[in-house]
């Protein structure tokens, strides 16, 4: 029989404040799974009309699936968060796009009718589990020259992108990074970020007990002169520094997805509707270019063009990869549609968690900009991939689906 796919809506999203990785970071003594649990509990708290047994899947991403980020995290975190034993869960890994993939996998299952409501998110505790911990890359990948050795070091791939596009200068990257810091500082001052942050109780060997209530990585007041003095991290006299790239961070995210019918039946708010998505592979040596073909593919599948996109949430793993995207599509470096509240250079980028941060912020932008119909979340992905998801604004005059603003935090 022919099957009619269900429309999928993004109901709500939350995240922990992002911390600096390492012994001095605020989450040094906090378990990764506890960060996820806090997010799931907050998602459930925000929707008191949602019976927990209606959540039929928990998909949680982690790049380094070991220790407190292992043991089928989606299932274990769901149980510990108070979901019933009948709710299944699983873990997923697509490096930086882990949470993004958790969302698209969950959404695809909802669209197909496998279930109606799911929770998707991600976590990365890079202080406890540095990127690459415990991995054993097959020597053939280098010996048989499938990739250049630089493909396995993300910072080196960013330098390779500078080589390929010399017009993407360090000066442009530094200016973009300062813009990210400034926009995040303004968003905090305007109270835009705080509503989606889940307060986390912390314990630190030196600082004792505390509460994590805001992001730790931001460096407000940073200037281009400050960044010009930083040493390049991956190549002598290179372009990539700690100032124009995201740092090493700890944090978690989670969001609630539902079929449009289930959202209507339960009176859930609708933050946005999923239009289409795409993941692609690119040369691993220049993985930062990945969002470009991913976006082109998603736009084609959706029957849209880049001119139809009115808001962009682009992950700032490195300033150079965002600038490569903007140049390709003819968008100015300081276009106000791009990362209105700053990005990962300022906020932090706990790898597998970041995709849901992009989505949550886009849904907030939609609420403030009913004149914008479509928005994009996109990111580059390690080992040469890119991901892009197109969303529709339920507040737009031409939106034809169900919408209910009640129940939002």
């Amino acid at each position: 029989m022919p099957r009619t796919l269900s429309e999928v809506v993004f109901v709500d999203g939350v995240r922990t404040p992002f911390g600096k990785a390492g012994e001095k970071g605020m989450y040094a003594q906090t378990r990764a799974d506890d960060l996820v649990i806090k997010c799931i509990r907050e998602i459930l708290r925000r929707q008191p009309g949602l019976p927990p047994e209606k959540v039929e899947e928990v998909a949680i991403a982690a790049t380094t699936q070991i220790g407190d980020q292992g043991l089928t995290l989606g299932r274990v975190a769901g149980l510990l968060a108070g979901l019933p034993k009948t709710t299944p869960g699983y873990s997923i890994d697509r490096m930086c796009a882990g949470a993004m993939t958790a969302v698209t996998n969950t959404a695809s299952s909802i669209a197909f009718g496998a279930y109606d409501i799911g929770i998707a998110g991600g976590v990365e505790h890079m202080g406890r589990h540095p990127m690459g911990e415990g991995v054993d890359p097959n020597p053939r990948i280098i010996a048989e020259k499938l990739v250049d050795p630089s493909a396995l070091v993300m910072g080196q791939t960013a330098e390779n992108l500078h080589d390929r596009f010399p017009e993407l200068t360090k000066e442009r990257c530094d200016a973009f990074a300062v813009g990210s810091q400034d926009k995040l500082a303004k968003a905090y001052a305007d109270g835009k970020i705080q509503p989606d942050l889940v307060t986390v109780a912390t314990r630190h060997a030196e600082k004792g007990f505390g509460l994590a209530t805001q992001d730790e990585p931001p460096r407000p007041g940073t200037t281009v002169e400050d960044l010009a003095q930083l040493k390049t991290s991956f190549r002598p006299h290179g372009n990539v520094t700690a100032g124009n790239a995201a740092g090493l961070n700890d944090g978690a995210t989670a969001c609630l997805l539902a079929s449009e019918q289930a959202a209507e039946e339960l009176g859930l708010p609708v933050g946005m509707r999923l239009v289409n998505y795409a993941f692609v592979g690119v040369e691993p040596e220049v993985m930062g270019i990945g969002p470009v073909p991913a976006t082109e593919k998603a736009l084609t599948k959706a029957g849209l063009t880049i001119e139809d996109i009115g808001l962009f949430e682009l992950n700032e793993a490195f300033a150079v990869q965002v600038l490569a995207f903007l140049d390709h599509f003819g968008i100015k470096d300081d276009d106000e549609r791009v990362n209105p509240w700053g990005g990962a250079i300022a906020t932090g980028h706990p790898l597998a968690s970041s995709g849901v941060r992009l989505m949550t912020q886009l849904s907030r932008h939609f609420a403030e900009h009913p004149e914008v119909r479509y928005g994009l979340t996109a990111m580059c992905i390690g080992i040469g991939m890119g991901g892009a998801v197109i969303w529709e604004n339920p507040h737009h005059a031409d939106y034809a689906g169900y919408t209910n603003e009640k129940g939002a935090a």
Side-chain angles (χ1 to χ4, degrees), residues 28 111 135 163 189 198 203 228 240 257 259 303 309 340 377 390 403:
V135 302
D163 294 341
V198 182
R203 182 183 66 181
V240 180
L257 302 166
S259 68
I309 306 300
T377 54
I390 299 172
T403 181

Side-chain angles (χ1 to χ4, degrees), residues 235-322:
R235 181 189 297 177
H237 310 293
N239 298 281
V240 180
T241 71
N244 59 32
L248 304 178
N249 306 112
D250 308 328
T253 60
C255 69
L256 184 67
L257 302 166
S259 68
E260 186 176 57
Q261 181 178 353
E264 185 172 6
E265 290 174 354
L266 293 168
L268 301 175
V270 174
M272 51 191 183
R273 179 186 74 89
L274 195 152
V275 177
N276 220 310
Y277 67 88
F279 292 95
V280 303
V282 298
E283 297 169 73
E285 294 82 0
V286 286
M287 67 96 190
I289 203 66
V292 170
T295 296
E296 291 177 329
K297 184 176 181 180
L299 288 170
T300 299
K301 292 168 71 69
L304 300 172
T305 68
I306 197 68
E307 286 73 26
D308 293 311
I309 306 300
L311 285 164
F312 298 82
E313 276 292 332
L314 308 177
N315 192 45
E316 298 171 0
F318 302 94
V320 64
Q321 51 94 193
V322 180

Side-chain angles (χ1 to χ4, degrees), residues 28 65 74 88 156 170 246 255 296 327 390:
Q65 296 187 12
Q156 291 184 21
K170 181 179 181 298
C255 69
E296 291 177 329
D327 273 12
I390 299 172

Side-chain angles (χ1 to χ4, degrees), residues 28-383:
Q29 304 297 319
T30 303
R31 291 178 60 95
D33 48 11
D34 282 336
L35 297 177
V36 177
I37 292 162
K38 290 289 294 186
C39 290
I40 296 175
R41 285 178 174 170
E42 178 64 11
I43 283 288
L44 297 173
R45 186 197 68 78
R46 290 187 180 208
Q47 306 303 330
L50 173 64
E53 62 270 18
K54 290 287 187 180
V55 178
E56 300 173 86
E57 185 70 279
V58 179
I60 300 297
T63 302
T64 306
Q65 296 187 12
I66 192 171
D68 54 346
Q69 289 182 179
L71 199 61
T72 314
L73 189 55
R75 170 61 170 171
V76 174
L79 289 171
L80 291 168
L83 289 170
K85 295 179 180 179
T86 51
T87 304
Y90 66 100
S91 298
I92 193 166
D93 170 25
R94 204 197 297 259
M95 297 193 76
C96 300
M100 176 177 279
T101 306
V103 166
T104 56
N105 280 8
T106 301
S108 296
S109 296
I110 292 172
F112 194 73
Y115 49 81
D116 289 317
I117 297 176
I119 289 176
V123 64
E124 211 72 52
H125 199 306
M126 301 181 75
R128 283 174 171 261
H129 308 294
M131 188 174 180
E133 179 188 14
V135 302
D136 180 17
N138 194 308
R140 288 181 48 236
I141 198 169
I142 300 298
E144 297 182 13
K145 298 183 179 180
L146 299 177
V147 300
D148 183 86
S150 66
L152 303 181
V153 180
M154 299 305 103
Q156 291 184 21
T157 68
E159 289 286 7
N160 292 343
L161 204 57
H162 276 285
D163 294 341
R164 181 162 297 191
F165 301 107
E167 67 273 16
L168 303 178
T169 63
K170 181 179 181 298
E171 289 72 24
R172 282 181 66 184
C173 290
D174 286 350
F176 182 86
V178 168
S180 182
Q181 297 284 353
D182 290 346
K183 287 187 287 187
L184 179 62
K186 184 177 187 305
Y188 260 110
D190 293 342
K192 304 293 187 183
I193 304 296
Q194 295 91 327
D196 296 319
L197 299 182
V198 182
T199 299
V200 179
T202 62
R203 182 183 66 181
H204 197 281
E206 297 179 1
K207 304 174 185 177
F209 291 94
L211 291 175
T213 60
Q214 64 182 34
D215 296 310
E216 196 174 24
R219 297 181 293 274
T222 298
T223 67
V224 290
E225 290 77 18
D226 295 331
L227 298 189
Q229 304 303 314
L230 298 178
K231 294 181 179 180
T232 54
S233 304
F234 301 97
R235 181 189 297 177
H237 310 293
N239 298 281
V240 180
T241 71
N244 59 32
L248 304 178
N249 306 112
D250 308 328
T253 60
C255 69
L256 184 67
L257 302 166
S259 68
E260 186 176 57
Q261 181 178 353
E264 185 172 6
E265 290 174 354
L266 293 168
L268 301 175
V270 174
M272 51 191 183
R273 179 186 74 89
L274 195 152
V275 177
N276 220 310
Y277 67 88
F279 292 95
V280 303
V282 298
E283 297 169 73
E285 294 82 0
V286 286
M287 67 96 190
I289 203 66
V292 170
T295 296
E296 291 177 329
K297 184 176 181 180
L299 288 170
T300 299
K301 292 168 71 69
L304 300 172
T305 68
I306 197 68
E307 286 73 26
D308 293 311
I309 306 300
L311 285 164
F312 298 82
E313 276 292 332
L314 308 177
N315 192 45
E316 298 171 0
F318 302 94
V320 64
Q321 51 94 193
V322 180
L323 294 178
F325 179 99
L326 299 181
D327 273 12
H328 179 86
F329 289 109
I331 301 170
K332 294 182 179 179
D333 294 6
D334 60 352
D335 193 304
E336 63 183 10
R337 299 172 299 166
V338 178
N339 297 358
W341 297 346
I345 289 173
T347 305
H349 174 31
L351 301 183
S353 71
S354 289
V356 166
R357 180 188 67 80
L358 302 177
M359 296 170 187
T360 300
Q361 291 194 181
L362 180 62
S363 72
R364 306 303 180 238
H365 301 327
F366 275 163
E368 294 187 359
H369 294 279
E371 76 281 3
V372 172
R373 185 170 185 181
Y374 297 108
L376 177 81
T377 54
M379 57 200 317
C380 61
I381 310 167
I383 318 299

